[in-house]
Amino acid sequence: MLRVLVHTADIQDSEGAAWLLADVCHAFPDLQHIWVNTGYKEWVIQTAKTSYAITLEQVAKPAGQSGFAVQPQRWVIERTFAWLGRSRRLRTDDERLPENSESVVYIGAIRLMLRRLTK
């Protein structure tokens, strides 16, 4: 997990992505490719390409698919959310400030990494 951005529910994913891209591009200048879901608007994809030289690839269902099927790129994200969801502090979501929620996500991710490194 490189960066976390928690914002209010009335902000669309595309708008949040624009904020996040500006921060990520300065912190990780070698980043070239990001997978996103189909909820991201075309203007974010174009902004990432022209302003930051990053390719945002939308991961969509294969044509003709009905029902559930594992999509490898998205499965990594969903699996990570499931692992983080095991943390009681993240499950209850009692934080009042977005900054506190971001910190709790980072702490959960650090906990996961430490467990893997110490096994």
Side-chain angles (χ1 to χ4, degrees), residues 63-77:
Q65 175 192 334
S66 63
F68 176 77
V70 174
Q71 299 166 345
Q73 297 89 351
R74 289 182 68 178
W75 188 253
V76 171
I77 296 165

Side-chain angles (χ1 to χ4, degrees), residues 84 87 89-90 100 102-112:
L84 289 171
S87 171
R89 186 88 183 256
L90 285 168
N100 293 352
E102 289 173 10
S103 298
V104 172
V105 172
Y106 283 126
I107 290 168
I110 290 168
R111 181 179 156 263
L112 284 171

Side-chain angles (χ1 to χ4, degrees), residues 28-79:
F28 304 98
D30 295 333
L31 188 63
Q32 296 177 355
H33 193 86
I34 299 173
W35 288 307
V36 298
N37 65 21
T38 54
Y40 290 85
K41 306 284 189 235
E42 189 62 34
W43 67 266
V44 173
I45 295 169
Q46 290 305 319
T47 300
K49 191 174 194 175
T50 57
S51 299
Y52 304 113
I54 292 178
T55 304
L56 294 185
E57 179 185 346
Q58 288 184 325
V59 181
K61 281 183 173 183
Q65 175 192 334
S66 63
F68 176 77
V70 174
Q71 299 166 345
Q73 297 89 351
R74 289 182 68 178
W75 188 253
V76 171
I77 296 165
E78 298 301 329
R79 178 191 64 195

